[in-house]
Amino acid sequence: MALIVDKHRPRSLDDLTFHDELSKRLRSLAQSGDFPHILVYGPSGAGKKTRVVATLKELFGPGVEKIKIDSRVFQTSSNRKLEFNIVASLYHLEITPSDVGNYDRVVIQDLLKEVAQTQQVDAAAKQKFKVVVINEAEHLTRDAQAALRRTMEKYSPNLRLILLANSTANIIAPIQSRTLLIRVGAPTQQEICTVLANSAKKEGWPVLDGLNKRIAEASDRNLRRAQMMLETIHATNEKVTDGTAIPIPDWEVLVNQIAQEMVQDRSVACILKIRAKFYDLLSHCIPASDVLRSLAFALIPHVDDIMKSTVIKWAAEFDHRIKLGSKAIFHLEGFVARFMKVYEEYLEGMAEF
Amino acid sequence: MSSFFDLKARKAAAANGTLSTSGEKQKEENPRVQPWVEKYRPKTLSDVTAQDHTTAVLQRTLQASNLPHMLFYGPPGTGKTSTILALAKELYGPEMLRSRVLELNASDERGISIVREKVKDFARMQLTNPPGGGYRARYPCPPFKIIILDEADSMTQDAQSALRRTMETYSKITRFCLICNYVTRIIDPLASRCSKFRFKSLDTGNARRRLEDIAALEDVVLAEGAVDALIRCSEGDLRKAITYLQSAARLVGATAAAAGDADEMEVDGEGEGITVKIVEDIAGVIPDATMQKLVKAIHPPKSGNAYEAVAAAVKEMVADGWSATKTMTQLYHIVVYDEMIPDIKKNRIVTVFSEMDKRLVDGANEHLSMLDLSLRISEILAGR
């Protein structure tokens, strides 16, 4: 049984429920026969991928849905072999270059050139070009992005690129100037409610407006998370009413605990206790930057207004260090220690008055 | 014999002017599929917009038939690649182009081994003779080859140093042209062997002329102020401006008439034309209302703390998917041109901006960075 996120995913541009303007624009681009390279960006759970898949269907017809997974081997200049998975249909390829880490340049160079240099064989195909979808484009290394630049121009008759990214900050300017930027914003809470109601109806669950609204609020405008929450609620509870509690993910519960401990007990012993919890989180593959961010936002309600900006300041600073450094636990603990120090000083300052 | 006639026909076509022939040829093949950036790439040196100094120097080399090694640098979309391609075309003409010019860019493998083999092989290859007849009269065909290393700043240091001696040894029959965005990434020994040409950002007048030309050729109607919007959003990057123009034209054309011939489509769209709003939409410019909300939140209230307001504004912007870099740029303009803020505070604010920019480029979390940026500005404004 598929998750409802996948089961109720809109398959064509007509089925999309929000961002009508954007869907219309994508359709007109797809129909004009002159499709540009595009860069789709927006927060996660906003429907970027769904839109891209729907656009592909609009471009090529139902043939794009017949996909197969290819495993390819690439060879780097230092003779290292790289295994790489490609999701492909007759008309498009989908790759996640960040899978191969620093060697993504090799994949981009080899694969795109190969695609670009072969013409569309199927004479009945709607378009003459093939589309390459690149997931997580913001994780492409500089080298790989540089490799994309000229390829995009040179092989434009045979190749169109669709880049998917969470933010455009890491995409180099030359690429941005060669693509059409498409922003997909997160759905509003109202829109999430509508989608949830639809999903519930399709599953034969009762449509509960109150519950939907609370889910929409708790989901941070992330539609995927909202649908997951809905499904979890229905899976764990026998009888679902408007008042059913929304389950929070385990790791967030833990993060909240950490936040509380940090505020209550500012001592070395506490840091040691927290370290065990951090390791627990990290060993469950929760990204360190997510932990840090939720921790910072969990701390905010516990501290006074004056302290809030300080908390954010250090959180941002240590987040940066996590990205640059290699061992996340140092920086997480660094943040904890820093917070405790700052908070202690603040409290002492208060006592003096 | 047939090839002889063929040649003559081609020459006649060339005599009619390179620009129109190649343009028409491409049009016949696929009228709409080509990006306009490629379609309207300058065909001759005199077509290159706004780089008067550089083109003047290069024009002279056309007559003198001598060329130094060259290093082109400047921001993206200013015509570096276009210039050298146009120059190569004018020097060699369509037939010699392939045997005399080697173009390598970052999409090609360019490690040290390639420099040692491919580049060196090409560099030491003897010159081929230009075809007889009037070809020499039409194109100068100077006695050297050109190797274009596009995006040279992404070459490794080793590969660059491997070029050094190659450049000198074969300088009799080969000229190099390095193209890069950042001249600082080219190692000194290479830079000192080249004469440098700086490509400056396009000024408004030239960009406007070019955009209007293209719009006229493509039968796109531009509404009042649309060109200004294009130029403003593209920040001197002509390629970006042309991409925006094409995307906008697609939108306008395609919504007006879903079916029909390419040209008709554009004519049908005439009623609407490209408006400022469409351009800003495509460029991802954040609407003034949203920015004002953020700015208002940043300005500290008389009493209490700005945190709640700022946090709410930032959260909304992040959820709406506005890119943090764009937000930063626009916020920067607002803050710097705000005359109510004393200079000394501006100094401190700009420092914060620079730090955040670095963080975003390093891939730090956008939400936290934006929040930190806004809060710090708010604090500075409040005088703490």
Side-chain angles (χ1 to χ4, degrees):
Chain A
M1 200 186 88
L3 296 169
I4 60 168
V5 180
D6 296 321
K7 210 157 56 172
H8 299 166
R9 186 189 290 275
R11 303 266 178 241
S12 71
L13 284 174
D14 297 310
D15 297 346
L16 294 168
T17 47
F18 48 89
H19 296 321
D20 286 334
E21 186 69 20
L22 187 62
S23 311
K24 215 168 77 195
R25 185 178 298 178
L26 284 171
R27 177 174 308 119
S28 68
L29 281 178
Q31 284 172 349
S32 70
D34 170 19
F35 197 70
H37 299 295
I38 57 180
L39 169 59
V40 185
Y41 67 99
S44 54
K48 297 185 294 291
K49 192 62 186 295
T50 312
R51 275 185 173 68
V52 167
V53 173
T55 313
L56 284 174
K57 196 176 167 193
E58 184 78 34
L59 268 174
F60 296 106
V64 272
E65 283 178 353
K66 274 184 225 139
I67 51 173
K68 60 177 194 287
I69 295 179
D70 249 351
S71 180
R72 293 275 290 273
V73 177
F74 291 94
Q75 200 153 30
T76 65
S77 48
S78 52
N79 280 338
R80 232 190 82 149
K81 288 223 165 80
L82 301 171
E83 282 244 346
F84 189 65
N85 285 327
I86 302 167
V87 180
S89 80
L90 268 180
Y91 309 107
H92 85 288
L93 291 179
E94 201 184 308
I95 53 176
T96 313
S98 48
D99 285 356
V100 281
N102 279 329
Y103 294 103
D104 53 358
R105 185 177 58 95
V106 185
V107 174
I108 292 268
Q109 281 176 348
D110 288 6
L111 188 72
L112 288 194
K113 280 206 165 161
E114 189 190 306
V115 175
Q117 283 165 357
T118 46
Q119 290 233 333
Q120 178 68 265
V121 213
D122 187 359
K126 271 188 176 173
Q127 313 288 348
K128 271 178 82 180
F129 53 82
K130 272 193 169 190
V131 173
V132 175
V133 180
I134 300 182
N135 290 323
E136 295 176 32
E138 78 266 30
H139 293 308
L140 284 175
T141 55
R142 288 285 144 118
D143 282 347
Q145 293 189 37
L148 272 181
R149 293 167 58 164
R150 195 69 187 126
T151 317
M152 289 170 87
E153 287 180 347
K154 220 167 164 182
Y155 301 110
S156 60
N158 291 338
L159 175 73
R160 290 292 185 284
L161 288 175
I162 297 181
L163 305 172
L164 287 167
N166 275 336
S167 84
T168 52
N170 286 343
I171 311 256
I172 56 175
I175 299 242
Q176 289 193 34
S177 86
R178 282 174 176 83
T179 50
L180 172 59
L181 298 176
I182 293 183
R183 178 180 63 89
V184 182
T188 61
Q189 297 193 356
Q190 191 55 46
E191 285 160 346
I192 290 184
C193 288
T194 324
V195 175
L196 289 180
N198 280 342
S199 292
K201 225 181 284 165
K202 276 187 210 160
E203 285 294 303
W205 295 329
V207 179
L208 303 162
D209 285 335
L211 179 71
N212 288 348
K213 207 169 220 157
R214 280 194 302 126
I215 293 180
E217 265 166 43
S219 68
D220 277 338
R221 295 175 65 184
N222 181 336
L223 185 58
R224 181 172 30 228
R225 194 187 293 172
Q227 282 190 318
M228 291 289 202
M229 282 176 175
L230 182 72
E231 188 160 25
T232 324
I233 290 175
H234 280 278
T236 48
N237 295 300
E238 196 81 350
K239 182 151 174 48
V240 180
T241 60
D242 261 347
T244 311
I246 298 171
I248 324 176
D250 288 347
W251 69 274
E252 281 186 12
V253 176
L254 201 55
V255 167
N256 282 334
Q257 257 177 34
I258 295 176
Q260 229 154 36
E261 281 171 19
M262 277 166 72
V263 175
Q264 277 161 7
D265 181 15
R266 300 168 297 280
S267 65
V268 179
C270 182
I271 295 186
L272 274 177
K273 250 190 337 198
I274 290 172
R275 168 185 291 171
K277 289 192 173 126
F278 275 143
Y279 267 122
D280 204 18
L281 286 170
L282 292 178
S283 62
H284 283 86
C285 292
I286 311 283
S289 56
D290 282 1
V291 173
L292 183 68
R293 199 188 41 189
S294 347
L295 183 59
F297 285 116
L299 281 171
I300 290 291
H302 292 292
V303 296
D304 291 340
D305 276 350
I306 306 246
M307 277 287 294
K308 281 176 182 168
S309 54
T310 322
V311 173
I312 295 294
K313 180 178 150 198
W314 287 112
E317 169 96 41
F318 280 98
D319 181 58
H320 183 210
R321 290 189 195 172
I322 286 179
K323 276 278 148 41
L324 291 184
S326 56
K327 196 138 170 75
I329 191 81
F330 293 156
H331 308 292
L332 286 175
E333 281 184 0
F335 174 68
V336 172
R338 171 66 64 178
F339 172 80
M340 286 178 174
K341 176 172 177 288
V342 174
Y343 195 57
E344 194 75 19
E345 276 171 4
Y346 169 72
L347 289 181
E348 270 171 26
M350 290 278 282
E352 274 169 28
F353 281 116
Chain B
M1 265 322 249
S2 65
S3 67
F4 172 68
F5 284 120
D6 194 15
L7 243 181
K8 207 166 187 188
R10 234 180 283 168
K11 237 179 285 162
N16 289 337
T18 26
L19 199 156
S20 61
T21 40
S22 47
E24 269 162 22
K25 243 184 228 161
Q26 281 158 351
K27 239 177 217 168
E28 279 163 28
E29 281 163 12
N30 39 11
R32 279 181 66 92
V33 192
Q34 213 179 15
W36 292 357
V37 181
E38 287 294 303
K39 195 165 166 186
Y40 295 103
R41 208 178 256 291
K43 304 287 190 304
T44 62
L45 268 184
S46 43
D47 283 354
V48 175
T49 326
Q51 310 295 348
D52 301 328
H53 173 68
T54 313
T55 45
V57 173
L58 293 177
Q59 287 282 10
R60 232 169 292 144
T61 65
L62 264 180
Q63 278 128 36
S65 283
N66 196 14
L67 207 63
H69 294 303
M70 286 171 296
L71 173 63
F72 290 179
Y73 64 99
T78 47
K80 299 179 295 295
T81 314
S82 299
T83 306
I84 188 64
L85 288 179
L87 177 71
K89 252 180 217 151
E90 279 195 50
L91 281 177
Y92 301 114
E95 283 163 57
M96 298 288 293
L97 201 60
R98 195 149 289 190
S99 58
R100 288 286 181 90
V101 178
L102 176 72
E103 191 194 346
L104 287 175
N105 56 61
S107 68
D108 306 291
E109 182 59 57
R110 266 194 323 197
I112 189 161
S113 60
I114 292 294
V115 171
R116 283 200 185 124
E117 289 158 26
K118 206 166 164 186
V119 172
K120 214 167 174 183
D121 282 352
F122 186 83
R124 74 176 153 209
M125 204 161 64
Q126 275 305 322
L127 298 168
T128 46
N129 276 328
Y135 200 84
R136 282 300 290 265
R138 173 116 193 90
Y139 301 105
C141 294
F144 52 77
K145 301 177 298 266
I146 297 185
I147 297 181
I148 304 171
L149 294 170
D150 207 344
E151 294 145 35
D153 38 7
S154 63
M155 283 171 82
T156 57
Q157 294 252 335
D158 290 347
Q160 289 189 34
S161 21
L163 267 181
R164 295 160 55 167
R165 196 66 191 136
T166 318
M167 278 174 87
E168 280 174 354
T169 320
Y170 302 106
S171 64
K172 260 196 179 147
I173 49 170
T174 305
R175 296 288 181 278
F176 280 83
C177 178
L178 307 176
I179 302 179
C180 62
N181 290 133
Y182 306 101
V183 75
T184 41
R185 300 231 182 110
I186 303 290
I187 56 171
D188 278 345
L190 271 194
S192 74
R193 282 176 173 80
C194 303
S195 61
K196 291 182 203 150
F197 293 95
R198 194 174 82 89
F199 282 68
K200 48 188 186 299
S201 279
L202 262 76
D203 57 296
T204 324
N206 280 310
R208 172 196 295 278
R209 221 171 304 137
R210 189 82 188 132
L211 286 170
E212 277 170 354
D213 280 355
I214 293 177
L217 283 170
E218 289 287 336
D219 289 327
V220 178
V221 181
L222 291 165
E224 188 76 19
V227 180
D228 292 308
L230 276 174
I231 294 167
R232 196 175 56 240
C233 297
S234 58
E235 294 156 7
D237 183 341
L238 189 58
R239 175 175 40 224
K240 210 191 253 176
I242 296 177
T243 316
Y244 288 158
L245 178 66
Q246 188 176 14
S247 320
R250 279 193 192 110
L251 284 184
V252 174
T255 41
D261 193 358
D263 287 324
E264 274 171 41
M265 215 182 263
E266 236 96 53
V267 177
D268 285 350
E270 214 163 303
E272 301 165 36
I274 294 167
T275 58
V276 178
K277 193 178 169 302
I278 293 182
V279 172
E280 289 192 341
D281 250 22
I282 286 174
V285 174
I286 302 164
D288 270 347
T290 317
M291 281 316 290
Q292 282 310 323
K293 222 189 257 172
L294 181 65
V295 172
K296 214 175 138 212
I298 285 175
H299 278 283
K302 291 259 162 3
S303 60
N305 200 291
Y307 177 79
E308 298 300 330
V310 173
V314 170
K315 194 173 172 192
E316 200 179 304
M317 290 189 76
V318 170
D320 274 338
W322 298 112
S323 89
T325 21
K326 207 102 199 177
T327 318
M328 254 181 59
T329 327
Q330 283 184 258
L331 191 61
Y332 177 78
H333 280 286
I334 293 175
V335 170
V336 168
Y337 292 114
D338 188 349
E339 287 177 1
M340 300 298 285
I341 303 172
D343 283 352
I344 190 103
K345 281 185 181 171
K346 274 186 195 168
N347 281 347
R348 288 171 60 198
I349 291 175
V350 172
T351 327
V352 179
F353 269 110
S354 100
E355 196 182 329
M356 287 307 147
D357 183 57
K358 162 86 176 118
R359 278 189 196 169
L360 284 178
V361 170
D362 282 341
N365 185 289
E366 290 201 347
H367 190 170
L368 275 179
S369 307
M370 279 306 303
L371 197 54
D372 189 20
L373 171 72
S374 316
L375 286 173
R376 280 212 224 167
I377 295 176
S378 175
E379 273 185 8
I380 292 170
L381 287 179
R384 258 181 284 136

